[in-house]
Amino acid sequence: MTQYALVVEIAQYDNSFGSLTKPIDDAEAVVNTEKFLLVVDEFEKVFTVCIDKEERQRFIELLTGVVEIHDSRLAVVITMRGDFLQSCLDNPSLTQLIQTPVVVIPPLTGVDFKETIAKSAQLQVHSVEEAGALKILQNLQQEPGNLPLLKFALTKLWEKREQKKYQLTQEEYENLGGLTAVLNLHAENVYHYQDYEKEYPTQERSQQEKEWIKQIFLRLVRTGEGEKDTRQRQPKATLLNIAGDDANQRQQLSELLDGEAGLAKGRLLVSEKDEKGEVWINLAHEALIESWQQFAQWRQQDRDLRPLSETLENTRREWLNERPDDKYLIQKGLLAQVRDSWQQLQPDLQSLQQDEDFYQRSDADDKDRIAEMEKALTESQLREKAARVDDLLPLQPLDSLVLAIQAMGENQEKLPQQILASVQNSLNRVVNKARVSIPFCGHEGNVSSVAISADGQTIVSSGTDGTVRLWNYQGLPLAEPLRGHQGNVSSVAISADGQTIVSSGTDGTVRLWNYQGLSLAEPLRGHEGNVSSVAISADGQTIVSGGADGMVRLWNRQGLPLAKPLRGDKNDISSVAISADGQTIVSGGADGMVRLWSYQGLLLAEPLYGHEGNVRSVAISANGQTIVSGGADGTVRLWNRQGLSLAEPLRGHEGNVNSVAISTDGQTIVSGSDGSTVRLWNRQGLPLTEPLRGHEGNVRSVAISTHGQTIVSGSTDGTVRFWNHQGLALTEPLRGHQSWVYSVAISTDGQTIVSGGTDGTVRLWNHQGLALTEPLRGHQGWVYSVAISTDGQTIVSGGSDGTVRLWNLQGLALAEPLYGHEGYVNSVAISADGQMIVSGGDDGTVRLWNRQGFALAEPLRGHQGFVNSVAISADGQTIVSGGTDGAVRLWNLQGLPLAEPLRGHKGWVYSVAISADGQTIVSGGDDGTVRLWNLQGLPLAEPLRGHEGWVYSVAISTDGQTIVSGGEDGTVRLWRGDWRAWLQVCCDRLRYHPVFTNPQTEEAKAACETCQKYVWSKVSG
């Protein structure tokens, strides 16, 4: 741009131009000139050659700015072709200036042309034959833009001149073929032959050379609007890219451009060097654009694509100038055009590899931006669905459940790496609160009673239509209705083997049937009035009945009474049930109470209160631990043997709940009510088992094995206990500690258990509860925490002496004690690779160590008080800590916080754990709750409540689906741990529901597909 800058520089400096660096050859002459003229010839090239729009505008403004300089020494004259006047009018800087001082030079005509030709010849001592001149003039009038043609034709005519006569003749002109023919013929010869200078050439060019010539010429022309194309020069280096990277091919192309038999030698192209020494190639004649017929045909082929290729290349150059600013990449509309035409564009691109790289980067950037927008839109839609789940839950639980499943499936499909906290939360809430059932329809009137077989495959129901009906799990009838009662059938029961059905009714009888509907005995009589309820023992030998006479009666299969009638309610006995072992009888009556009796007729507990009105039906689980009741208040309720409620009342029936039953595994409840409906419920969403009881003291620590099947607990009663996933003790309690067991850990293979206690020892046990070594001694005080490496070879312990210690399985110290904490070390953890130890203590710091005892980073500070617990993720990148300030904190290895402190606990956080995938954090505290969080610090579920007192310890299984907690109440509790477990619960609830067996909405279909893909197919697989 120094040439452009010269215009203003000269105009503004009156005395000195010393700052200029000789932009023109005779700078001294310019300096000493009072006034001078700057001529800008072929100004149209500003529009046809200059690619950079900003550079073009700057140049125009420099030129036009001269007008604004008062008493300027500089005058500027611009010359250009008249057909580019419109381009000037489109530029605001030029529009005003060309209104008055424009001089329009009309085309040469008639005498002017003749004189121009003749005088040019005279200068070379030649004449022009009059007839020849007239013929040339006639042709000129037929050809627009004729000067370039005339120039070329006269050159050829000069070569064919009559040298003896020193004359240009009409004969020679006509032999050339006229203005256009002469140029066309010459170009065709150069195109087809290497020896084009001969009158009869024979050395034909190869097909490769011809293809190169086509590409060269198309790149040397700028496609204009309509038919108006113009020349544009190109660097030779750019044209050589046509031959690709092959050195031999590039050399051949170079020879074709400006070699001995090349296009420049043939006067179709010109080659010139700029001030930097770079070689540029251009069309030798503007007339070639229209007059070479072959070239004209090439230009019509894919004409619409060439401006696109030029725009693409210009955009790439602009991007290179602004790099690395991606806002200059190909954008939207242009990118769409390039995508649609990419294959067709490639042959016309001057720098194919660079243009392709640019296109691909633009395409990738566009796709990334679209993906980001789609991701944000998906997140917004999923959060909206999660909010709708919460809105629907109280009044439309079925719709809420379907939507929660569908939203989770959509999240998993569209954002598999980021399961949103709001989606997980909504799924957790429907697990706990959305109770749905499968309606069975067939009775003509109210359903008075239901029962379910031990294998859960056969459901029995009875009604006011006087029938007993049998159904399968999907709600299809298994047999014709059983008829025999004279009036309403009040109650039904089915034996454990599914072969005996018992029924009772308003006719005062109890009846026994087989599976085929045949009567097994004479009706059992004894009650006065309606027999409201019947039950049968697991072995099928004892039948229990209760009636309007307030009596509970026991019978054998032959119809004989087994004991005196049991009396407890002054009103009607609405329902009875008997435990699998035949030792416990349950009854419910009009006084709204549920009673438990022994086989001998003694009350086993205080009556169970809760129903508002008549208790119309009761049932008891096979293990005798869960009682189910249904009443006139429309609710189904679950109790334990101590009379405590196990869940929120199950609501859904409209009217009286007349009958309830529970499957052998205690997981499926069946209920029937007014309105002819039978409903199935499960009790999933509650804790996985009853609390694991056995410790005689606080449970201070829990751990769970990798496969999730073994739970270990340690207590202030000095014992370590093993449990299976069902809550059963696996061995006798491990005894050895002389006081409290403060911490336990279990190896990845489940074969080694580590415990530490207030007796200052660390102890190792095998799976059978036998000590593996002598107690590990070294701590001067209590051992508060223990951990074991993934390979089971390294044990870490921390204690009240402020040290962290490392041991091998033989009980030998692996390093000197690690000192650094000021006060007790309350918690330790070890990374999966065994190379990093994490500790937390009373000094409020979290510290990182290597196996040699050296600190890996500055202490992590942030807690306002003691650090009670630490954990480290499986990949070793995330540290979790919890403390007396009630906060859970996440840190990276450099000690920087990964999120705001996680707050929710009301009081101290005693224990933290992190799932194997690092996505779920679990915490337990003195508010009695267990809480789940994601890495962003958002809660994933409602707080898990159940402990009576502080929660001292939490752990999570490797698959993340089971959480274990231990607390002050001496219990160990198991909970469902993540969305995968919750999704399985929700899917199983609807597996046989009509909303899945016959989905009617797109939402229901999507939810069903989610269950099939992510739950049922994996279970079956």
Side-chain angles (χ1 to χ4, degrees), residues 460-747:
V460 185
S461 64
S462 64
T464 58
D465 59 0
T467 65
V468 176
R469 298 174 184 258
L470 290 92
W471 318 78
N472 66 13
Y473 200 76
Q474 288 75 41
L476 301 176
L478 294 173
E480 289 293 311
L482 314 186
R483 302 179 188 278
H485 283 283
Q486 305 302 311
N488 299 342
V489 179
S490 304
S491 182
V492 290
I494 185 171
S495 62
D497 60 9
Q499 298 304 306
T500 303
I501 292 99
V502 185
S503 62
S504 66
T506 57
D507 59 2
T509 65
V510 176
R511 297 175 184 261
L512 280 65
W513 319 78
N514 66 15
Y515 195 77
Q516 291 73 36
L518 301 177
S519 178
L520 294 176
E522 287 294 311
L524 313 187
R525 303 179 186 278
H527 283 285
E528 297 177 3
N530 180 27
V531 180
S532 307
S533 182
V534 291
I536 185 170
S537 62
D539 60 9
Q541 299 303 309
T542 303
I543 292 97
V544 184
S545 61
D549 56 4
M551 300 286 190
V552 176
R553 294 177 181 266
L554 280 66
W555 318 77
N556 62 18
R557 287 176 63 96
Q558 292 71 40
L560 300 176
L562 294 175
K564 290 183 178 181
L566 313 182
R567 300 177 183 273
D569 193 339
K570 297 179 181 179
N571 301 305
D572 295 355
I573 298 293
S574 302
S575 182
V576 293
I578 186 170
S579 62
D581 61 8
Q583 298 303 305
T584 304
I585 292 94
V586 185
S587 66
D591 60 358
M593 298 184 192
V594 178
R595 289 180 165 82
L596 279 66
W597 312 79
S598 69
Y599 191 80
Q600 293 74 32
L602 300 176
L603 283 171
L604 295 175
E606 289 294 312
L608 315 185
Y609 293 93
H611 284 284
E612 297 175 4
N614 185 13
V615 177
R616 302 179 73 91
S617 182
V618 293
I620 187 169
S621 61
N623 63 6
Q625 298 302 307
T626 303
I627 293 93
V628 185
S629 60
D633 57 2
T635 66
V636 177
R637 297 175 184 260
L638 280 66
W639 318 79
N640 63 16
R641 287 178 63 98
Q642 291 72 42
L644 300 176
S645 176
L646 293 175
E648 289 291 309
L650 313 185
R651 302 180 189 276
H653 285 290
E654 298 177 2
N656 300 332
V657 177
N658 297 318
S659 184
V660 295
I662 186 168
S663 60
T664 300
D665 63 5
Q667 296 303 307
T668 303
I669 292 98
V670 187
S671 60
S673 71
D674 294 349
S676 306
T677 60
V678 178
R679 296 181 181 267
L680 271 64
W681 317 77
N682 64 26
R683 52 175 296 183
Q684 292 168 324
L686 302 175
L688 289 175
T689 64
E690 288 294 306
L692 315 187
R693 302 181 188 278
H695 283 292
E696 299 174 1
N698 300 341
V699 175
R700 300 295 308 196
S701 183
V702 292
I704 186 169
S705 62
T706 299
H707 53 61
Q709 297 304 307
T710 303
I711 292 97
V712 184
S713 60
S715 169
T716 57
D717 63 3
T719 66
V720 176
R721 295 178 185 256
F722 289 7
W723 319 79
N724 64 15
H725 204 266
Q726 290 72 42
L728 301 176
L730 294 175
T731 63
E732 289 294 310
L734 314 187
R735 303 181 187 279
H737 285 283
Q738 303 302 310
S739 188
W740 295 4
V741 176
Y742 232 97
S743 182
V744 293
I746 186 170
S747 61

Side-chain angles (χ1 to χ4, degrees), residues 153-323:
L154 290 176
T155 302
K156 296 297 290 184
L157 185 60
W158 176 259
E159 292 172 354
K160 300 290 184 180
R161 69 189 181 277
E162 179 61 59
Q163 296 188 12
K164 292 181 178 181
K165 296 182 178 180
Y166 293 91
Q167 189 177 42
L168 305 180
T169 66
Q170 179 184 357
E171 181 182 3
E172 290 299 333
Y173 177 70
E174 288 179 343
N175 287 339
L176 290 174
L179 283 179
T180 56
V182 64
L183 180 55
N184 185 67
L185 179 61
H186 175 73
E188 284 293 304
N189 278 340
V190 176
Y191 173 61
H192 284 286
Y193 300 101
Q194 293 182 2
D195 54 344
Y196 50 80
E197 292 182 339
K198 294 182 178 180
E199 188 169 359
Y200 300 104
T202 57
Q203 297 179 22
E204 190 166 354
R205 295 190 187 276
S206 67
Q207 191 60 40
Q208 176 70 80
E209 286 181 302
K210 291 179 180 179
E211 181 59 32
W212 281 346
I213 292 173
K214 175 183 177 181
Q215 293 188 47
I216 290 167
F217 272 76
L218 287 175
R219 295 185 184 194
L220 292 174
V221 67
R222 177 179 294 277
T223 304
E225 294 182 6
E227 299 296 319
K228 187 177 74 172
D229 294 346
T230 55
R231 287 187 291 177
Q232 64 171 3
R233 66 175 188 164
Q234 297 288 348
K236 180 180 178 181
T238 299
L239 292 177
L240 290 177
N241 289 333
I242 294 172
D245 297 329
D246 185 274
N248 290 331
Q249 294 269 299
R250 292 174 73 89
Q251 180 58 37
Q252 291 176 34
L253 180 55
S254 179
E255 289 293 321
L256 178 62
L257 286 169
D258 50 13
E260 283 302 314
L263 302 176
K265 193 78 170 178
R267 291 178 296 172
L268 295 186
L269 303 181
V270 291
S271 174
E272 56 188 1
K273 289 185 179 181
D274 62 13
E275 62 272 14
K276 297 179 181 178
E278 184 174 12
V279 178
W280 290 76
I281 305 293
N282 202 353
L283 294 180
H285 309 283
E286 190 90 26
L288 279 168
I289 296 175
E290 298 298 337
S291 298
W292 184 16
Q293 294 175 10
Q294 179 68 70
F295 189 16
Q297 291 175 13
W298 291 338
R299 289 188 296 108
Q300 294 307 314
Q301 297 170 3
D302 297 326
R303 184 174 182 82
D304 294 339
L305 288 177
R306 284 201 300 281
L308 181 59
S309 66
E310 292 167 3
T311 304
L312 170 61
E313 290 173 337
N314 292 343
T315 305
R316 174 176 60 78
R317 293 188 188 102
E318 184 178 6
W319 173 72
L320 286 172
N321 291 336
E322 302 294 339
R323 198 172 182 174

Side-chain angles (χ1 to χ4, degrees), residues 743-881:
S743 182
V744 293
I746 186 170
S747 61
T748 301
D749 61 9
Q751 298 303 306
T752 304
I753 291 86
V754 186
S755 61
T758 58
D759 60 359
T761 66
V762 176
R763 297 174 186 259
L764 308 180
W765 318 80
N766 65 15
H767 201 262
Q768 291 73 40
L770 301 176
L772 293 175
T773 64
E774 289 293 311
L776 315 185
R777 302 180 186 278
H779 282 286
Q780 306 298 313
W782 295 6
V783 176
Y784 278 125
S785 183
V786 293
I788 186 169
S789 60
T790 301
D791 62 8
Q793 299 302 305
T794 304
I795 291 95
V796 185
S797 60
S800 62
D801 58 0
T803 66
V804 177
R805 297 175 185 260
L806 280 68
W807 320 79
N808 63 15
L809 279 181
Q810 291 70 44
L812 301 176
L814 294 175
E816 290 294 310
L818 314 186
Y819 291 96
H821 283 285
E822 299 174 4
Y824 297 174
V825 176
N826 295 321
S827 182
V828 293
I830 186 169
S831 61
D833 61 7
Q835 298 305 305
M836 183 188 302
I837 292 92
V838 185
S839 61
D842 277 4
D843 57 2
T845 66
V846 177
R847 296 174 184 260
L848 283 69
W849 318 78
N850 63 16
R851 288 176 63 96
Q852 291 71 43
F854 295 110
L856 295 175
E858 288 294 308
L860 314 187
R861 302 180 188 276
H863 283 285
Q864 306 299 313
F866 301 168
V867 176
N868 288 330
S869 182
V870 294
I872 185 169
S873 60
D875 62 6
Q877 298 303 304
T878 304
I879 291 109
V880 187
S881 61

Side-chain angles (χ1 to χ4, degrees), residues 871 873 878-882 888-890 898-899 902 905 909 911-915 917-924 930-940 954 956 963 977:
S873 60
T878 304
I879 291 109
V880 187
S881 61
V888 177
R889 296 177 183 264
L890 310 179
L898 295 175
L902 318 187
H905 285 285
V909 175
S911 182
V912 293
I914 186 168
S915 60
D917 63 6
Q919 297 303 306
T920 304
I921 291 96
V922 186
S923 60
V930 176
R931 297 174 185 257
L932 281 67
W933 318 80
N934 67 11
L935 277 179
Q936 290 72 46
L938 300 175
L940 294 177
V954 293
I956 185 169
I963 290 161

